[in-house]
Amino acid sequence: MTLTGHSVKISIVKIFISVLIIIFGLQSWGKADDIRDFEIEGMSLGDSLLDHFSEKEIKRSERYDNTNTNWKSDKMFQLRTGKKGPYTEIMFALKKNDKKYKIYAIDGLVKMEYNISECYPKLEKTSKSLEEFFPNAEIRKDHSPHRGDPTGNSMVKSVYFLFPSGDFASVECYDWSKKIGYWDNFRIGLVTEEFNTWNNSNY
């Protein structure tokens, strides 16, 4: 799936599900050359999750690790929080036993209530906007089965914005099969190279 300084951060501050209007940066309409200049609900890669949630909230969030996923290693894991801002939920990647709860990946998910086909125009519109904000990023596109579904019936359509650091941003539509039981969703993600490498080598 899956990018410090004194630059002004660019934030996704609204997603209206019906028309998916994305408003970037109330302070700046500038372009970003570092993925850490980009925020999802005020949060960016490398931030401490404690700056945004209490430790109690973090510990009671739904956790995905090597005990309930296909991951073989317990070095890293993911948490799903409840609704925040316009997102149905936000998912974070963290490291085991990290008391600072440093963020290694963020995904903002919006549940697709009706038909997944409604997601694809949103993906195209959002990715076009991100092309303007990440003018130097390499763009890759993919539409393939999700590896978590052995039937091959769950599909993910993705647009990736790759940075020289190995970190990347993504815009995706998840079309889960009924057998899997997850809800279809539109998502925007920020992923560090470290989490992406760990994820791919331990799945």
Side-chain angles (χ1 to χ4, degrees):
M1 294 180 187
T2 321
L3 266 143
T4 68
H6 300 283
S7 56
V8 177
K9 290 192 173 182
I10 302 169
S11 303
I12 299 177
V13 296
K14 289 286 185 181
I15 295 185
F16 295 98
I17 297 177
S18 59
V19 293
L20 195 68
I21 299 174
I22 296 185
I23 304 172
F24 291 91
L26 296 177
Q27 297 177 333
S28 172
W29 284 90
K31 295 177 170 59
D33 291 319
D34 188 326
I35 199 170
R36 289 169 177 79
D37 293 334
F38 188 77
E39 297 176 337
I40 293 176
E41 281 300 295
M43 296 173 284
S44 189
L45 298 177
D47 288 357
S48 170
L49 199 55
L50 290 171
D51 292 335
H52 307 280
F53 297 90
S54 70
E55 190 164 20
K56 183 178 180 179
E57 289 175 312
I58 293 171
K59 288 185 174 180
R60 72 185 182 199
S61 295
E62 190 170 5
R63 179 169 175 149
Y64 294 84
D65 56 24
N66 65 317
T67 67
N68 58 359
T69 71
N70 292 325
W71 283 324
K72 301 172 184 176
S73 166
D74 66 350
K75 178 182 177 182
M76 303 185 84
F77 63 96
Q78 286 186 309
L79 291 182
R80 288 179 181 263
T81 71
K83 180 176 175 60
K84 185 172 177 62
Y87 297 100
T88 308
E89 68 178 23
I90 296 185
M91 187 161 57
F92 301 94
L94 306 169
K95 275 189 178 179
K96 181 181 179 181
N97 299 325
D98 177 12
K99 300 302 183 182
K100 294 183 179 180
Y101 297 96
K102 180 180 176 180
I103 298 171
Y104 290 86
I106 312 172
D107 280 291
L109 284 68
V110 178
K111 184 177 183 179
M112 300 307 301
E113 297 282 358
Y114 303 108
N115 194 320
I116 188 62
S117 63
E118 298 177 0
C119 185
Y120 302 124
K122 303 178 192 301
L123 181 148
E124 295 300 323
K125 183 175 181 178
T126 306
S127 61
K128 289 294 183 184
S129 295
L130 290 181
E131 286 181 26
E132 297 181 14
F133 287 93
F134 298 137
N136 298 317
E138 177 186 350
I139 299 173
R140 293 184 189 173
K141 298 182 180 181
D142 184 55
H143 194 184
S144 58
H146 192 287
R147 62 185 179 179
D149 181 356
T151 70
N153 293 324
S154 298
M155 301 296 295
V156 183
K157 186 172 184 179
S158 310
V159 180
Y160 301 105
F161 297 84
L162 310 176
F163 289 75
S165 61
D167 304 337
F168 64 87
S170 62
V171 185
E172 300 177 292
C173 290
Y174 275 59
D175 181 11
W176 292 106
S177 68
K178 291 183 179 180
K179 184 176 181 179
I180 292 295
Y182 298 153
W183 36 270
D184 296 342
N185 62 85
F186 167 87
R187 66 176 69 184
I188 298 175
L190 305 174
V191 182
T192 61
E193 187 276 339
E194 184 173 359
F195 176 71
N196 186 53
T197 298
W198 175 85
N199 184 22
N200 289 331
S201 63
N202 286 284
Y203 203 89

